[in-house]
Amino acid sequence: MPNYRIAPSILSADFARLGEEVRNVVTAGADIIHFDVMDNHYVPNLTIGPLVCEAIRPHVQVPIDVHLMVKPVDRIIPDFAKAGANIITFHPEASEHIDRTLQLIRDNGCKAGLVFNPATPLNHLEHVMDKLDIILMMSVNPGFGGQSFIPHTLKKIAAVRKMIDESGRDIMLEVDGGIKIDNIAAAAQAGADTFVAGSAIFGKPDYKAVIDAMRSELAKV
Ligand code: DX5
Ligand code: ZN
């Protein structure tokens, strides 16, 4: 069985109590904290930046996975690295120089990855596989929590799984958007190993019950 990881998205957390929220979700079994950065330009919503990353950093030991939905990308990367990010991903449409942005993330000591929207072609992967630590597949269009999983993205996840396996490299395959207890196994079957879930976890009173239920679904795959 692959090493499955659950990455709650704090987008659906109570921002007035964020320190407590991230501590609670890690105690409940989260492996990673997923941190959604939106700029009201690349996506039609505005969320959180490096200051908030720095504020939650002392509260948890697990990796902080910064998903940049911003354009341009490069200027903000060193700020997130200084704020304690461990993983930084960005959308290829948002960078003029994808190879340079990946290198910039690595030079700042973080794991680097590309994010593919449901309709973004995968051709960039051909050229940068050796610079990727993670590939993030969107199963909704980015911008908001609480949207419904788009089923045709499963085929695309499977295609990326094949590319990763053929590369022989150790690259995480993360899925993001509309992941719930009842579809996490399908995403795992398609080849994902890291599962972002926002509203499914933070929208419920008992985080541990949800994470445990997700893990028992994954155990059946
Ligand atoms: C969407 C974000 C997701 C989102 C996931 O643009 O990238 O991380 O918060 O939330 P749910 O799990 O509610 O779809
Ligand atoms: Zn995200």
Side-chain angles (χ1 to χ4, degrees), residues 32-33 35 53 56-57 60 62-66 83-88:
I32 290 174
I33 295 292
F35 191 103
C53 185
I56 62 166
R57 182 66 284 181
V60 287
V62 300
I64 298 179
D65 164 30
V66 172
N86 304 93
I87 301 168
I88 301 180

Side-chain angles (χ1 to χ4, degrees), residues 74-197:
D74 293 9
R75 211 213 56 75
I76 203 78
I77 286 170
D79 295 357
F80 273 107
K82 280 190 207 98
N86 304 93
I87 301 168
I88 301 180
T89 62
F90 65 97
H91 292 248
E93 302 90 332
S95 171
E96 300 290 341
H97 307 287
I98 294 165
D99 182 86
R100 178 185 288 159
T101 304
L102 288 168
Q103 194 57 49
L104 180 64
I105 295 170
R106 298 180 137 222
D107 289 347
N108 276 272
C110 296
K111 291 189 171 175
L114 282 182
V115 191
F116 292 89
N117 290 334
T120 305
L122 297 171
N123 52 328
H124 296 294
L125 281 178
E126 215 179 292
H127 310 285
V128 293
M129 212 66 173
D130 59 331
K131 289 210 168 100
L132 295 177
D133 302 295
I134 179 166
I135 298 170
L136 173 49
M137 302 302 293
M138 294 305 298
S139 38
V140 299
N141 288 292
F144 301 94
Q147 303 181 77
S148 300
F149 184 87
I150 300 174
H152 72 73
T153 58
L154 287 172
K155 261 197 217 144
K156 209 167 165 190
I157 294 170
V160 174
R161 172 84 269 157
K162 192 161 173 273
M163 290 165 87
I164 293 173
D165 290 348
E166 281 168 6
S167 79
R169 299 197 67 246
D170 183 16
I171 298 173
M172 291 161 70
L173 181 48
E174 186 175 38
V175 57
D176 183 5
I179 292 291
K180 313 275 175 208
I181 296 165
D182 65 9
N183 61 14
I184 194 166
Q189 252 145 19
D193 54 35
T194 304
F195 306 87
V196 176

Side-chain angles (χ1 to χ4, degrees), residues 9 11-12 34 36 38 43 67 69 138 140-147 176-180 196-200:
S9 162
L11 193 58
S12 294
H34 185 80
D36 285 308
M38 304 185 187
V43 290
H67 172 192
M69 289 160 273
M138 294 305 298
V140 299
N141 288 292
F144 301 94
Q147 303 181 77
D176 183 5
I179 292 291
K180 313 275 175 208
V196 176
S199 50

